[in-house]
Amino acid sequence: MNRPRPRVLYYAHDHGSGHVRHAARAAATGAFDLVVATAYETAGRVLPADVDLELLPTDVVPGHRQRAGSPLHYTPTGPVIRRRFAALLEVAQLVRPDVVVVDVSVETALFLRLAGYPVIHRRMHGDRTDPAHELVYTEADHLIAHYGPELEDPEWLGRFGGKTTFLGAPDTAGRRGVRAGTRSGARALASVSPGASPAVTPAAAPLEFSVVTGTGGGGVRWTDLARAAGQVPWARWHVYGPVRGAPGGTPEGDSGAGGPLPPNLILHGWTDDVPARLREADLVVVSAGYSAVADAAASGRPVVLAPEERPFGEQEHFAAAAHRAAGVPWCRWADESADWAAAIRTALRDPASADRLAAAVLVDPAEYRRRWESAVQYAASG
């Protein structure tokens, strides 16, 4: 007789789309009956149609400042918070999950754990040695990470690796069996030679770069994009995602000021098919968010990581780990001294760094499902 599938309640934080995208990947495994609870208003556009979605009220309390010395991150009082946690508890009581996955929130994980539910909490990069993270890593029944152990901080791995499942991301395109390279082949290698064309002209047949900015921080400043594109004038930089302050404004950005965009910088706004935009490029530049890195690794193109500002320095730490483990070059968008030309040339000369990144992030979909099943079973067993 077939055993019933586990019931899983997946709490997805509403800062950016990445948390909901991870919930969608978990749902696609078919390993369990999944209900997603989130305040991310457009979650329904990301999740599979057959996934139950419970939209939570906001937890934003304008003007709240966490009390100095508090061991937690965010504990305002008032009706907004009462409605939020009452709704979350109501969903949990309705779903009756075998396990709750919290991606991510220390306070939510502790609330549901104290309410009597086994909790799996997501591990992310960054400086997370504060008391709140230490508490949730200790109290959670299990931990998950969307990357391989070779990208983990060795000290953290030694302390908590034994209760962590390193899920990675499903390699749905079969990327791990393909070597990375540009679309332009030999012409791309010629572009990194000392005699490379100094500017984009029709005769120069410039390389095409796809740049994807993150949704979790309001976008990259257009001046940072312009500085990067200006250092590599022999390529066209196609930008997808939010951009702040572009001249004339963009659908995702603020109205801008300053000078015109460089001729080799093209702002496309958002795209619903990021993987396709990456595959059609000679090289990809993406934020160091987990979903963006998975998309970049799957593209089969040379990769440069461009960490954006996030809490706890998450993306910068992840970019540094990818460089340490796989040799992937990276530059901070906000760093005015960043040498983009050197990073681009490094990625083009060593496209195998993208292969090493793929090996550290992507896993066979059947193995991805098996790892999810193991994590849920471990947490549910107490």
Side-chain angles (χ1 to χ4, degrees), residues 117-149:
Y117 298 97
V119 167
I120 297 174
H121 194 265
R122 178 184 169 192
R123 159 68 174 167
M124 299 176 70
H125 282 85
D127 182 8
R128 300 179 191 269
T129 57
D130 57 277
H133 279 109
E134 289 285 314
L135 179 60
V136 80
Y137 293 152
T138 302
E139 290 297 324
D141 296 274
H142 200 59
L143 302 167
I144 56 171
H146 295 298
Y147 49 86

Side-chain angles (χ1 to χ4, degrees), residues 253-265:
D254 306 320
S255 60
L261 293 174
N264 65 326
L265 181 63

Side-chain angles (χ1 to χ4, degrees), residues 219-229 242-248 250 254-262 265 267 333:
V220 175
R221 295 180 304 180
W222 84 271
T223 49
D224 295 335
L225 290 162
R227 184 173 58 251
V243 175
R244 287 187 282 130
T250 67
D254 306 320
S255 60
L261 293 174
L265 181 63
L267 307 184
W333 284 122

Side-chain angles (χ1 to χ4, degrees), residues 88-329:
L88 181 58
L89 183 59
E90 183 179 359
V91 170
Q93 291 173 332
L94 178 66
V95 173
R96 293 182 299 150
D98 297 296
V99 168
V100 176
V101 176
V102 177
D103 179 8
V104 290
S105 164
V106 169
E107 289 77 20
T108 299
L110 295 176
F111 172 78
L112 290 167
R113 189 65 183 80
L114 289 169
Y117 298 97
V119 167
I120 297 174
H121 194 265
R122 178 184 169 192
R123 159 68 174 167
M124 299 176 70
H125 282 85
D127 182 8
R128 300 179 191 269
T129 57
D130 57 277
H133 279 109
E134 289 285 314
L135 179 60
V136 80
Y137 293 152
T138 302
E139 290 297 324
D141 296 274
H142 200 59
L143 302 167
I144 56 171
H146 295 298
Y147 49 86
E150 58 267 55
L151 293 174
E152 185 53 88
D153 172 74
E155 192 274 337
W156 191 93
L157 186 64
R159 296 180 60 207
F160 297 106
K163 64 182 297 187
T164 304
T165 296
F166 291 92
L167 296 169
D171 182 16
T172 56
R175 163 68 176 91
R176 286 167 59 97
V178 179
R179 296 180 65 179
T182 66
R183 291 189 66 187
S184 302
R187 180 162 61 81
L189 294 178
S191 297
V192 301
S193 68
S197 174
V200 169
T201 66
L207 301 186
E208 308 289 343
F209 295 172
S210 286
V211 181
V212 178
T213 62
T215 60
V220 175
R221 295 180 304 180
W222 84 271
T223 49
D224 295 335
L225 290 162
R227 184 173 58 251
Q231 289 188 30
V232 189
W234 37 269
R236 279 194 287 253
W237 295 58
H238 298 271
V239 181
Y240 304 93
V243 175
R244 287 187 282 130
T250 67
E252 295 82 10
D254 306 320
S255 60
L261 293 174
N264 65 326
L265 181 63
I266 304 101
L267 307 184
H268 295 275
W270 185 242
T271 174
D272 289 327
D273 196 350
V274 170
R277 301 290 79 78
L278 297 180
R279 288 193 303 269
E280 67 191 17
D282 289 295
L283 175 143
V284 301
V285 181
V286 300
S287 71
Y290 296 90
S291 292
V293 170
D295 286 339
S299 71
R301 302 302 178 206
V303 175
V304 174
L305 296 181
E308 301 176 22
E309 294 183 10
R310 292 293 187 275
F312 307 102
E314 167 209 321
Q315 292 200 5
E316 185 173 328
H317 280 253
F318 193 20
H323 178 73
R324 181 182 67 248
V328 176

